[in-house]
Amino acid sequence: MMKITKAKVYRICLFLSGMILLLTACAQSSTTSKAKIDNEASREKRSKEILGIQRIESKLIQSPSTQNLTKQGIVLPGVNPLELDGTLVISGSPVVLPISQAIAQDFIQNGYPNKIALSSINNEVSFKLFCEQKKVDIINVVRPINSEELAACAKSGIEPIGFPIAIDAVTIVVSSQNTFVPNSLTRNELAKVFTVEKWSEVNPKWPTEVIKRIIPAEVSAGGSVDLFAQAIFKGNVNQLINAPNTISYDFVEQLHSEALINPYMIGFLEYGSYKQNRDKLKAIAIDTVDPFLPAYPIARPLYIYVDAKAIRQRPEVEGFVNYYLTSVSEEVSNLGYFPVKPIVLDESKTKFLQVKSNK
């Protein structure tokens, strides 16, 4: 009976608090111009920034101690959610949101007595809420923090710590009604499929029907459009988004609906969403490499970011992050994502323990 009551409380808190945070973020994001398409120089700059940030974070990580190490990796101390107090606010990418939702619900059902507000907002706005406005405790993002965001955090006294928590594969799909596209396409074939007008222009044996392309609307560093363009168009995002008969979707359900009625569509989405809609969609491998294999070329790590000071000063943040890192690998597998490598998870746990100990 207690679990049912807590689940209801969770849903009410999630809805009300999420709506409030979403409205606030939307007001902020309305003044933000659309993301600019990076040229090759800016991509090189961003890569250097990411390496620099990774070097900064690496100073927090020492070799994992054997004290808490088992055959399964580092084991964090147990957490009793019932003993914690305070409200948690989590925001960020809709790609990562299902993972945080699942862990938050488990945390509440295991005794956490207060509310956890979750909302879905893009990466740039999430970092702004986290670094500049201090309105969220944890953000879910699909890329590392950049130099501008890092500077904004430093100015606000925030010490951002990133934890890789899962791997997502951007999956190319056609309608399940499509009978002519094979299970695998080469990169050159995909470049044609996402630019030319008709299927027969890719392969003369294919129909002369128009190709309808359905791609995500958001264009941002680390986003699925950006990753696809890097893998197929050498980073030229314009070549993808400006191709004729290309439609952008805000909600993945639009792609699902198109697949039901149009056997000549093609698009891409997160692997977890594909996995939940296999009756409507057929996944296409790239150069015979399927999305669930390590060598798949359009994969990305997913992160949560937390303020190190909050871990040290707020028991509810420390407890939730501890709980998150302990249970995340099992959760992501259930949701259609891929767990990070054990060594990566151990590094995150080591980083957490060292931040925690620096009180």
Side-chain angles (χ1 to χ4, degrees):
M1 189 67 182
M2 178 61 71
K3 285 189 176 181
I4 295 174
T5 301
K6 289 185 178 296
K8 288 182 178 178
V9 171
Y10 170 81
R11 288 193 292 269
I12 293 169
C13 292
L14 171 61
F15 176 76
L16 293 177
S17 301
M19 287 298 295
I20 291 170
L21 184 58
L22 181 59
L23 290 172
T24 302
C26 288
Q28 294 296 329
S29 63
S30 64
T31 61
T32 304
S33 60
K34 292 184 178 179
K36 294 181 179 180
I37 308 302
D38 292 335
N39 54 28
E40 291 182 4
S42 64
R43 289 181 190 282
E44 182 179 354
K45 177 184 175 184
R46 187 171 73 244
S47 297
K48 290 180 180 178
E49 289 172 353
I50 290 171
L51 288 174
I53 292 164
Q54 289 173 341
R55 281 195 290 270
I56 291 171
E57 285 198 348
S58 69
K59 294 179 181 179
L60 292 169
I61 305 175
Q62 300 171 359
S63 298
S65 167
T66 57
Q67 183 177 358
N68 292 320
L69 193 62
T70 69
K71 291 182 179 179
Q72 289 75 38
I74 292 176
V75 178
L76 295 178
V79 176
N80 185 357
L82 188 61
E83 297 176 350
L84 301 173
D85 194 13
T87 299
L88 293 169
V89 181
I90 304 172
S91 179
S93 168
V95 177
V96 193
L97 182 63
I99 303 173
S100 291
Q101 278 180 324
I103 292 174
Q105 189 162 10
D106 285 347
F107 199 59
I108 287 174
Q109 289 180 341
N110 278 292
Y112 186 62
N114 292 296
K115 67 179 181 180
I116 302 177
L118 295 103
S119 64
S120 174
I121 304 171
N122 71 39
N123 297 290
E124 286 71 24
V125 177
S126 294
F127 275 115
K128 180 172 288 190
L129 290 171
F130 178 68
C131 292
E132 298 178 24
Q133 301 176 26
K134 300 183 179 181
K135 290 187 175 180
V136 294
D137 302 311
I138 298 170
I139 54 173
N140 310 309
V141 289
V142 300
R143 62 167 175 80
I145 190 170
N146 64 34
S147 59
E148 290 82 5
E149 291 155 350
L150 196 60
C153 276
K155 186 176 180 180
S156 300
I158 302 291
E159 300 176 16
I161 300 296
F163 299 101
I165 47 95
I167 302 294
D168 174 48
V170 177
T171 305
I172 302 163
V173 294
V174 295
S175 169
S176 59
Q177 303 173 59
N178 188 306
T179 58
F180 57 89
V181 172
N183 293 331
S184 178
L185 294 173
T186 67
R187 296 190 194 210
N188 287 336
E189 288 173 327
L190 284 168
K192 290 181 180 179
V193 168
F194 279 89
T195 51
V196 302
E197 184 178 359
K198 298 179 180 179
W199 285 104
S200 56
E201 294 177 58
V202 182
N203 187 326
K205 297 179 181 180
W206 294 353
T208 57
E209 300 289 340
V210 171
I211 304 172
K212 188 167 186 179
R213 294 172 274 264
I214 317 290
I215 66 173
E218 184 181 351
V219 179
S220 61
S224 54
V225 172
D226 182 61
L227 290 177
F228 183 93
Q230 288 181 40
I232 306 302
F233 295 110
K234 298 181 179 180
N236 189 343
V237 179
N238 283 324
Q239 194 172 356
L240 171 64
I241 64 176
N242 293 333
N245 205 37
T246 298
I247 298 173
S248 298
Y249 66 81
D250 291 301
F251 303 99
V252 73
E253 288 77 15
Q254 294 170 258
L255 183 149
H256 300 159
S257 298
E258 187 67 30
L260 285 173
I261 61 174
N262 187 353
Y264 305 107
M265 61 78 64
I266 191 167
F268 52 87
L269 73 173
E270 287 73 35
Y271 183 79
S273 184
Y274 154 71
K275 192 173 180 181
Q276 294 171 11
N277 292 273
R278 286 182 172 178
D279 57 327
K280 308 180 189 74
L281 305 168
K282 179 173 76 171
I284 304 299
I286 301 175
D287 293 324
T288 71
V289 180
D290 288 307
F292 50 82
L293 296 176
Y296 187 71
I298 319 182
R300 58 185 170 185
L302 308 177
Y303 302 83
I304 59 170
Y305 269 82
V306 191
D307 182 6
K309 288 195 298 186
I311 292 175
R312 293 192 292 265
Q313 298 171 6
R314 295 174 55 192
E316 71 276 17
V317 174
E318 176 195 322
F320 185 75
V321 175
N322 187 330
Y323 191 92
Y324 206 117
L325 296 177
T326 298
S327 57
V328 68
S329 290
E330 181 179 353
E331 290 291 353
V332 299
S333 299
N334 294 335
L335 293 169
Y337 302 85
F338 307 102
V340 295
K341 292 180 179 179
I343 189 173
V344 174
L345 187 58
D346 280 346
E347 286 179 352
S348 289
K349 291 178 179 179
T350 301
K351 187 192 304 186
F352 168 77
L353 289 171
Q354 291 176 356
V355 168
K356 174 184 170 182
S357 66
N358 289 332
K359 292 185 178 180

